[in-house]
Amino acid sequence: ARGGGTAPSGAPRPEGEKPLASPAIRLRAREAGIDLRQVVGSGPAGRISHEDIDAFLARGPQVARTSGLARNDGVEDIKVIGLRRKIAEKMALAKSRIAHITYVEEIDVTALEELRAALNKEKRPAGAERPKLTLLPFLMRAMVKAIADQPQLNALFDDEAGIIHQHGGVHIGIAAQTPSGLVVPVVKHAEARDIWESAAELNRLAEAAKSGTASRDELSGSTITITSLGAMGGVATTPVINHPEVAIVGVNKMMMRPVWDGTQFIPRKMMNLSSSFDHRVIDGWDAAVFIQRIKTLLETPALIFVD
């Protein structure tokens, strides 16, 4: 070996030992992404030369570099059991049995958000307890009014028997993410609840679902479902219908956007509704009419309070 050194072996230096190299060698190593601690020098006292760098590179990419990146070939097998398995089975059933059609519409919720903020600031009568209002109670009331015009949307389809069970009571499922997985607590008889009653029941069910104390009855019996990811809701989604229902209304996130009013662009708070329907029994026209009715109610929220 030259200069009394040993031939390069590729063995790394002991932890903390600084490699000997000239500034030119260090610059070349940085540019090539080479960790000099991995290079065995052939010069005096293990000093690294250009020939050592060449030999290091010739040994191939399996040698560690300064990036610190390393391959991970591990595989972890996770058995799908419990609630996660039930969710998977129900989703697979819905997609295999239902011919989905998804309809996306843009909603101007500026006026609704102003009304919601005003109602939440309103002084409560003595002894009265009113929950804080979110968007969902308004959407629930809008759906109830739209369903009154199109009751075929509030139904369960028994495709094996060829029967559509059209319900009078509007039982709205609210898809909710919990630590255990996706569950759908149900606000029963939403048609008989005002904005504040809907909000209170929604809050109660959400807490029960998150804590795992919701009963079987509270997690079943829906006739139509709302799904929302809140701030994570994206621009548009393609919700999977809660089988055997025939419709699901999806809420996407709100965003401030410039909207042309005929003379200028003005800032408006906008939100998309992405809703899916069972195309075997719900025509595209009926789906569009349903969502357009909800759009009208949400964009002119005073109409929600008119019986």
Side-chain angles (χ1 to χ4, degrees):
R2 291 170 294 174
T6 59
S9 66
R13 281 176 166 71
E15 186 70 27
E17 182 178 324
K18 186 177 180 179
L20 294 175
S22 69
I25 294 294
R26 294 185 185 281
L27 176 60
R28 181 183 175 190
R30 282 197 301 272
E31 291 176 345
I34 297 173
D35 184 353
L36 284 178
R37 292 172 300 179
Q38 302 293 322
V39 180
V40 176
S42 59
R47 191 175 187 84
I48 299 170
S49 67
H50 284 287
E51 288 80 4
D52 297 325
I53 295 289
D54 293 337
F56 180 86
L57 292 172
R59 285 199 295 274
Q62 71 275 10
V63 182
R65 301 294 179 88
T66 56
S67 66
L69 300 178
R71 284 176 46 164
N72 185 341
D73 295 319
V75 177
E76 181 181 2
D77 295 331
I78 302 173
K79 194 169 182 62
V80 180
I81 59 174
L83 180 60
R84 185 74 262 168
R85 185 178 183 87
K86 291 181 180 178
I87 293 170
E89 291 172 348
K90 182 137 190 176
M91 291 296 174
L93 176 65
K95 291 298 287 185
S96 65
R97 298 284 286 269
I98 299 174
H100 284 64
I101 177 176
T102 298
Y103 183 93
V104 181
E105 180 57 283
E106 187 176 55
I107 314 291
D108 185 338
V109 292
T110 308
L112 175 60
E113 283 297 280
E114 291 172 352
L115 174 61
R116 187 177 68 83
L119 290 174
N120 281 334
K121 289 180 181 178
E122 188 180 54
K123 188 175 181 181
R124 308 290 186 264
E129 290 188 13
R130 284 183 176 175
K132 185 177 180 180
L133 295 172
T134 64
L135 167 80
L136 291 184
F138 292 93
L139 176 57
M140 292 166 64
R141 290 302 305 160
M143 289 170 60
V144 166
K145 295 181 80 69
I147 286 169
D149 297 330
Q150 293 177 278
Q152 72 271 27
L153 272 297
N154 188 52
L156 307 178
F157 181 31
D158 183 345
D159 49 0
E160 292 187 355
I163 298 174
I164 298 171
H165 301 285
Q166 187 171 296
H167 288 252
V170 182
H171 311 310
I172 302 179
I174 309 292
Q177 192 67 38
T178 71
S180 302
L182 183 69
V183 296
V184 186
V186 183
V187 177
K188 301 288 177 66
H189 289 290
E191 78 281 1
R193 302 178 189 270
D194 64 18
I195 288 285
W196 291 275
E197 290 170 338
S198 296
E201 181 67 356
L202 192 58
N203 291 343
R204 185 188 72 80
L205 289 169
E207 285 300 318
K210 289 178 183 177
S211 63
T213 60
S215 67
R216 182 184 294 271
D217 182 64
E218 290 171 330
L219 297 176
S220 61
S222 58
T223 54
I224 191 169
T225 296
I226 294 173
T227 178
S228 171
L229 292 175
M232 296 288 289
V235 175
T237 49
T238 55
V240 177
I241 296 169
N242 188 16
H243 181 275
E245 297 168 23
V246 300
I248 183 169
V249 176
V251 179
N252 297 119
K253 66 182 177 182
M254 295 182 191
M255 292 184 286
M256 192 66 75
R257 302 178 196 161
V259 177
W260 183 254
D261 70 351
T263 58
Q264 62 181 336
F265 284 102
I266 56 174
R268 304 292 290 180
K269 190 166 284 187
M270 308 299 292
M271 179 191 78
N272 287 346
L273 285 184
S274 301
S275 307
S276 296
F277 303 86
D278 188 336
H279 211 359
R280 298 173 300 172
V281 293
I282 303 298
D283 294 332
W285 174 266
D286 292 321
V289 169
F290 180 68
I291 296 303
Q292 289 299 324
R293 173 63 170 151
I294 292 175
K295 173 183 171 74
T296 297
L297 292 166
L298 294 181
E299 291 190 338
T300 312
L303 294 175
I304 295 175
F305 296 88
V306 177
D307 294 326

